[in-house]
Amino acid sequence: RIDDPIDGSEATIIPVIINDEKVYFKILDISYCERIQKEFEIVKILNNKGVKIQKYFTNNGQYLFVEDEFCVYGTYDAGKIQTLEDITDSFIEACITNIAKMHKLLQSVKPEEGLYPLESDIERFDKF
C-alpha cells in the first residue's frame, strides 16, 4: 500500500507498507547521491560501535537506487511518530541527545579521508 507523498525541502517522501512494515522512500535529486552514500558509511560505523540507527530498506544488498536524475532510498518506520502531535518537547530533547551521542562517538573514529559530507550536520540541523 502506498500512502500520500510528503513534500520536504530536499526530498519527496513516499510512505509504503511492505510486509506489514512501513518504509519511507526518499526521492532526491541525483546531486545528493554522494552525500547519501557517505551517510550510509557513517551509519555503518555507528552500528559497528553499538549505536543502533534506523535500518535501511535493501533489495539484493542494495541501499541506494539511482534512476535517471533521481536517487531513492528507504528507511523503516521507527514507530514513534505518527502525527505532528507526537513531536513533543521531550521527543525533540531525546533526538538532540542521541545526535550529540553519535557525534561524540564519531569524533573518536578515524574515518577515511572525505567520508563526511561537505555540509555539517549542525548546519543541516539548523536549517531543519
Side-chain angles (χ1 to χ4, degrees), residues 10-122:
E10 297 179 340
T12 296
I13 302 169
I14 301 178
V16 178
I17 304 295
I18 301 175
N19 297 328
D20 295 326
E21 286 192 275
K22 187 175 275 190
V23 181
Y24 292 94
F25 285 100
K26 294 160 184 73
I27 303 170
L28 297 138
D29 181 82
I30 194 75
S31 63
Y32 286 90
C33 189
E34 184 179 346
R35 185 169 103 184
I36 299 303
Q37 288 174 322
K38 289 178 182 180
E39 287 182 8
F40 290 151
E41 290 300 313
I42 291 168
V43 166
K44 187 167 35 171
I45 290 169
L46 290 169
N47 280 329
N48 288 340
K49 294 286 185 176
V51 178
K52 294 302 170 201
I53 308 293
Q54 206 172 8
K55 64 179 181 169
Y56 293 105
F57 173 83
T58 60
N59 185 18
N60 296 324
Q62 185 175 355
Y63 291 89
L64 188 64
F65 309 94
V66 178
E67 184 67 35
D68 297 325
E69 70 271 11
F70 299 105
C71 59
V72 178
Y73 72 99
T75 58
Y76 284 88
D77 183 11
K80 295 179 182 176
I81 298 297
Q82 300 299 326
T83 67
L84 287 176
E85 287 76 29
D86 294 328
I87 304 175
T88 62
D89 287 346
S90 62
F91 177 81
I92 292 171
E93 288 172 6
C95 288
I96 292 170
T97 300
N98 287 334
I99 290 169
K101 286 179 185 176
M102 288 186 284
H103 281 243
K104 187 172 183 176
L105 175 65
L106 285 172
Q107 287 175 345
S108 68
V109 175
K110 301 285 187 216
E112 62 189 69
E113 188 69 29
L115 176 63
Y116 295 99
L118 294 176
E119 184 180 32
S120 76
D121 284 346
I122 293 171

